[in-house]
Amino acid sequence: MTTQLPLHDALTQIVQAAGNDLWVTGGSAALMLRGLPLASSPRDLDLYCDDEDGAELHHRLKQYALNTPHYSESDIYRSTLSHYAVGGWRVELVAGFQVAAMGCRYRVEVKEVLLPLGEAVTFGDGESITLVPLAHELWFNALRGRADRVETIVGGMSLHREKHWTAMNAIEERNGFPNGYVTQVHNWINQEEGGDRDWTLKYASSLQAGR
């Protein structure tokens, strides 16, 4: 995929400073780079790396740093965060990201899973980055209860469904997802082929009922 979107300058500067071998791009900016519809423009640019690579990437990006890496933990998230200002964009580097919700625990593995199974984006002057697999976006947004984002992602996956199953299987095999929930998520993908979007309403309702 080749792109010339507003993120181009920021991503070019990041690649020139930090290389492209230790991190991937995710979140709404990555969905925008894929051309998927968003309700609003991305507010920042999310980069993911493994915990052991956070300090090295911070060193490479230090000229743009707004703060130093700091551990962050909430009810469902755990990571080490640092922030940068690059090319007019606020950039968040998320190291060692974990999500625990819905009886699931998802540990993000960049070098082992997301980098080799992600989608490359090449810019006009030759730089390239890797977008997280849509399988990651699906599981992440399912676990945090973003039914609107899940619907967008499933719509993108349905265009070339077969190419996403390798990443789906890798993520599911390496994390603690209950079988019933895995089946439910797979059903969302399979139902998209027939145009059945009722699952989004059922999903949102079940989340509300469980709170």
Side-chain angles (χ1 to χ4, degrees):
M1 180 192 302
T2 301
T3 185
Q4 282 294 137
L5 292 172
L7 277 170
H8 175 109
D9 289 342
L11 288 170
T12 296
Q13 291 178 59
I14 291 169
V15 171
Q16 290 174 349
N20 61 4
D21 59 331
L22 297 178
W23 56 274
V24 291
T25 302
S28 57
L31 297 179
M32 182 181 74
L33 288 168
R34 280 189 162 93
L36 296 180
L38 297 173
S40 59
S41 298
R43 293 178 296 178
D44 54 18
L45 175 60
D46 297 324
L47 311 182
Y48 295 92
C49 71
D50 293 325
D51 200 33
E52 64 268 22
D53 296 320
E56 172 61 26
L57 282 171
H58 177 70
H59 175 73
R60 296 180 189 182
L61 292 169
K62 197 168 184 179
Q63 61 183 305
Y64 303 110
L66 298 174
N67 53 30
T68 57
H70 56 281
Y71 179 74
S72 176
E73 185 171 351
S74 69
D75 289 344
I76 66 172
Y77 304 133
R78 181 181 301 176
S79 64
T80 298
L81 302 175
S82 49
H83 299 90
Y84 311 83
V86 186
W89 284 80
R90 179 179 171 86
V91 178
E92 182 171 71
L93 178 62
V94 185
F97 188 46
Q98 295 185 45
V99 187
M102 310 290 182
C104 305
R105 180 173 295 278
Y106 175 27
R107 182 170 64 92
V108 171
E109 298 175 277
V110 174
K111 293 195 299 290
E112 291 292 324
V113 179
L114 302 190
L115 262 172
L117 297 178
E119 182 175 356
V121 173
T122 302
F123 301 104
D125 49 5
E127 282 87 2
S128 66
I129 63 166
T130 301
L131 307 180
V132 297
L134 280 178
H136 160 83
E137 299 284 16
L138 178 57
W139 272 108
F140 171 45
N141 284 283
L143 293 177
R144 67 179 182 145
R146 284 293 302 272
D148 59 329
R149 192 61 64 78
V150 166
E151 183 173 11
T152 295
I153 294 161
V154 169
M157 295 177 76
S158 70
L159 299 176
H160 303 284
R161 187 181 298 101
E162 64 284 347
K163 80 174 185 179
H164 299 291
W165 284 113
T166 299
M168 287 289 290
N169 291 335
I171 289 171
E172 290 158 12
E173 288 172 359
R174 299 170 75 97
N175 292 278
F177 299 155
N179 290 335
Y181 201 41
V182 170
T183 299
Q184 183 180 7
V185 171
H186 287 191
N187 285 342
W188 297 342
I189 302 170
N190 295 330
Q191 288 169 3
E192 178 66 19
E193 183 175 23
D196 181 0
R197 303 212 171 211
D198 288 345
W199 59 266
T200 56
L201 301 177
K202 295 173 185 175
Y203 175 60
S205 297
S206 67
L207 290 175
Q208 293 296 331
R211 288 175 178 167

